[in-house]
Amino acid sequence: MKRGDPAQRTIEEVNFSKLPATSTRVTKITQSVLVFICKDMRPLSVVENKGFRNMIKMLEPRYTVPSRQHITDIALPKLYQEVKATVLDSLSSAETVALTCDAWTSRATESYVTVTAHHITDQWNLQSHVLQTRAMHDSHTGEHIAALLTDAVAEWGLNTKDLVVVTDNAPNMALAARLAGMTHIQCFAHSLNLASQKALKIQSVVRLLGRIRRVTAFFRRSTTASNQLKQKQCLLQLPAHRLITDIITRWNSSYDMIERFLEQQPAICAEVRKSEKEIFTLSESDITCAEEVVRALKPMKDATLVMSEESMPTLSIIAPPHAKLVMGAQESVDDTPTVRDIKIAIAEDLGKRYVNERETLWMASTVDPRFKDLPFLSEAETSETYSRLLDTVVTVIKKEKNLKNKETDKQVEEENATEEAHHPHIKDSFDSIPRPPLKRQRTSCALVDLLGATFASTSDNTAPKSEHDVAAAEIKRYRDETLLPLTGNPLSWWKDHEQEYPHLSKVARKSFLLCRRHSKCTEKCPES
């Protein structure tokens, strides 16, 4: 069959001809590739990989994968500017912004500092944006980190915001926050790590950890022993769990190592004691000590899990567990020497944390509907905290009134100016017109004369209330509310009750700030 028109393309040519680089579909696919690279933190060279190109060819044969140079020089910078504009717009509406700052080292031993911003949106959602990750070639002094924070604040237009920065407990970070003029909050997860590390440095605990590490290392080295351990687990109907070897900088890994050892102790004893007596050197007293250590550190483990699993780690979550841990670390007559030493180490370390931030933390817990009863405080401390809350709400009301009065005055001035500009002679003409005498107002009426004495108290109900009365009434209604369950979401609660507590909700929005550096803080907290 002859082809009628030589210029006419075949169906195959139409279906597999390359799409124009400016077409909408090409733009969307390229955008998707960029998001894939950024979200999954893939290297830019992925666009050159054969497997990636084959996948794209299968999905859309007409699409041409852009070169690595195009991604680097054109597409990625363009996407960055678009995302940056969106982030700037999001941050511009926030009154209070919490910054988290974390220094870390890459596998290539290169030092970086990451700055992340967090704020609560109008819909009471916690919004987080990683603003920058910059190489830190200078020494990590407080001055250098303060300069980096100041530059980040200026670049992202945060100079006019109420700024709070959350960092680890290192002295250079505290100095950086002070030099940058920001309120500094210590990362609670890091504080837990430091207190727990102090407990793990007790001599009896150090000796116990060393002996358990010797056992876990043996099973890691020997494939034969590892296989026999699995058989013993099956025979003894124990969970088929691998032994854990701890990592020095992660205290919870030491806890997990001891706990897993106790779980698998019957299988370990059956396998090791027969053939590797020099490996298994734990006595019955050591086993008892391990059980005591796990029991004593269980509250710290639970608190660490709370911080790592909490979807919204706001400031309100610090004071309740902090107080609980400090009170739980009080000595008991039944404590063994090891347990007593652990409690002392934890109490001493946690007791010196957040001394200067107590009022801020208590205020944050006050506006959290889960903790508003403040059972971890004394009656005097609770009364004092709610008194400060009352003063804060009164300030908010006065500020709103002043702002409203200024807007009203400005509007009246603008209307008067506009009226005079359009009718400059009306005022003079109006003044020349004789005005009728004012009508004498009635000072009484029959209904008032008849029932005035009986219903005189009703006039008091319509009298304007003072800022103090409005604030006190709002706080009283809030305190009478049923407590939100501990599993509830405080931000969602305030979203549903914002209209009922218009002034108190503003205090709550400002008080809910982040209290940990990042979502995986408990897994990578450096020891300071």
Side-chain angles (χ1 to χ4, degrees), residues 172-301:
N172 62 331
M173 287 296 187
L175 176 60
R178 186 166 66 251
L179 294 176
M182 302 178 187
T183 301
H184 180 235
I185 299 294
Q186 304 164 0
C187 171
F188 187 49
H190 188 252
S191 298
L192 293 174
N193 180 66
L194 295 180
S196 302
Q197 292 285 7
K198 291 289 180 64
L200 295 179
K201 290 179 181 179
I202 296 171
Q203 190 59 41
S204 58
V205 179
V206 170
R207 182 174 60 253
L208 173 67
L209 291 174
R211 292 179 176 180
I212 295 179
R213 287 191 196 105
R214 190 180 298 118
V215 174
T216 60
F218 166 73
F219 282 98
R220 288 184 60 186
R221 292 193 308 267
S222 173
T223 56
T224 301
S226 179
N227 183 60
Q228 291 177 348
L229 178 64
K230 293 178 181 178
Q231 295 177 11
K232 292 294 189 299
Q233 288 173 337
C234 182
L235 182 64
L236 298 173
Q237 297 182 349
L238 293 174
H241 293 159
R242 297 181 60 184
L243 297 181
I244 298 173
T245 301
D246 63 344
I247 300 173
I248 299 300
T249 56
R250 303 178 189 175
W251 88 267
N252 47 323
S253 67
S254 298
Y255 178 94
D256 293 338
M257 180 179 72
I258 300 175
E259 189 177 47
R260 181 63 55 83
F261 171 81
L262 292 173
E263 176 194 84
Q264 299 296 328
Q265 178 199 350
I268 294 172
C269 292
E271 174 58 30
V272 179
R273 278 187 169 176
K274 294 180 180 179
S275 57
E276 302 291 345
K277 294 183 179 180
E278 71 280 2
I279 299 297
F280 193 96
T281 60
L282 284 87
S283 62
E284 292 298 329
S285 62
D286 290 326
I287 302 299
T288 302
C289 180
E291 294 172 344
E292 293 174 351
V293 170
V294 169
R295 187 164 54 252
L297 291 177
K298 182 66 163 58
M300 298 295 288
K301 173 67 173 181

